[in-house]
Amino acid sequence: MTTPHNIQPSSTVQPAVGTVPGARPIVLSARNLALAYDAHTHALRGVDLDIYSGQSLAIMGPSGCGKSTLLHCLAGILAPTGGRVLYGERDLRDMRDAARTKLRRTDFGFVFQDGQLLPELSALENVMLPRMLAGVSRRKAKTMAKHWLAALGLSGLEERRPGQLSGGQAQRVAIARALAGEPSVVYADEPTGALDQQTGQEVLHLLLRATADAGSALVMVTHDQSVAAACARTITMRDGQIEREVTR
Ligand code: ADP
């Protein structure tokens, strides 16, 4: 493992080279981000990236280029071995584990390929649970969960367990769960990868609309060019670095 380097005070951070700052504020920044799993595997090699509030970003590139590693570092799940991730004035690396866990519950939302819903809980309970873990009362968590399930077209299915839902419906529950906390940033790793083309497109457009309605930024890893094309920005990675960026 290498040691972190190139540390500057947060107040001196400038927008990353190659990004075009728009009117939107920056919600999350990576600076010179590096991650070496071991001496031979440098998954990230100096990534500079700004995530803008309420904007969608697709991360593309060939398998093994570092997409998931970048997503996990930006979400504070993986600790980089160099550089830093700034969320507002906070450097995720300087936070204690408990504070990072809390941040993930209160400020971030997650949608993974297979939804990762708890099979023993109903759709409603799956959406409520993270809110209650974040300290919200059961009553308020229920109201929020019902609202977001309805917003994703799932009214009437609240009491069903994941095994009683279609793949697309289960993924919509996962989106409702991610958005119920009104997060600043939603992280999605191949969220439509396990769905057929048509269902995947429906879920994608719901995800984009729901994050826009919630005012959340969306950071999404995808292999699918049509999924990326629906996002406001796309970065393409190669060998742990950003090779190019497109803003639409
Ligand atoms: P992508 O998401 O683009 O497929 P990853 O971020 O998963 O790429 O992986 C980037 C590189 O890091 C690859 O060479 C992969 O084999 C390696 N890698 C990923 N996870 C681990 C791990 N837990 N331990 C060691 N190497 C890993």
Side-chain angles (χ1 to χ4, degrees), residues 119-175:
E120 298 304 317
L121 299 185
S122 69
L124 187 69
E125 289 164 338
N126 263 286
V127 181
M128 286 171 65
L129 184 64
R131 291 307 91 230
M132 290 166 64
L133 289 173
V136 172
S137 71
R138 186 178 178 85
R139 190 184 179 144
K140 189 159 181 221
K142 195 169 186 176
T143 307
M144 291 162 122
K146 279 192 165 173
H147 166 82
W148 279 103
L149 286 170
L152 285 149
L154 295 167
S155 291
L157 302 181
E158 293 94 341
E159 297 309 324
R160 289 210 193 167
R161 291 185 181 183
Q164 299 169 317
L165 297 170
S166 70
Q169 287 168 341
Q171 207 55 335
R172 284 191 269 155
V173 175
I175 295 170

Side-chain angles (χ1 to χ4, degrees), residues 84-203:
R84 57 200 177 133
V85 175
L86 293 164
Y87 177 62
E89 292 294 302
R90 283 178 285 182
D91 186 334
L92 296 193
R93 193 190 50 200
D94 295 339
M95 297 171 74
R96 288 171 182 271
D97 281 351
R100 259 198 311 271
T101 301
K102 184 165 181 237
L103 183 77
R104 285 198 295 271
R105 285 188 181 139
T106 55
D107 290 42
F108 297 164
F110 297 90
V111 184
F112 295 107
Q113 181 166 341
D114 64 359
Q116 294 187 352
L117 301 175
L118 295 173
E120 298 304 317
L121 299 185
S122 69
L124 187 69
E125 289 164 338
N126 263 286
V127 181
M128 286 171 65
L129 184 64
R131 291 307 91 230
M132 290 166 64
L133 289 173
V136 172
S137 71
R138 186 178 178 85
R139 190 184 179 144
K140 189 159 181 221
K142 195 169 186 176
T143 307
M144 291 162 122
K146 279 192 165 173
H147 166 82
W148 279 103
L149 286 170
L152 285 149
L154 295 167
S155 291
L157 302 181
E158 293 94 341
E159 297 309 324
R160 289 210 193 167
R161 291 185 181 183
Q164 299 169 317
L165 297 170
S166 70
Q169 287 168 341
Q171 207 55 335
R172 284 191 269 155
V173 175
I175 295 170
R177 180 179 59 179
L179 285 162
E182 300 186 351
S184 301
V185 187
V186 173
Y187 299 90
D189 199 348
E190 296 277 353
T192 61
L195 305 174
D196 65 64
Q197 180 73 19
Q198 192 191 333
T199 310
Q201 285 295 320
E202 285 165 15
V203 167

Side-chain angles (χ1 to χ4, degrees), residues 37-38 41 43 61-70 221:
Y37 285 107
D38 56 48
T41 315
S63 185
C65 71
K67 302 181 296 295
S68 293
T69 303
L70 176 59
V221 168

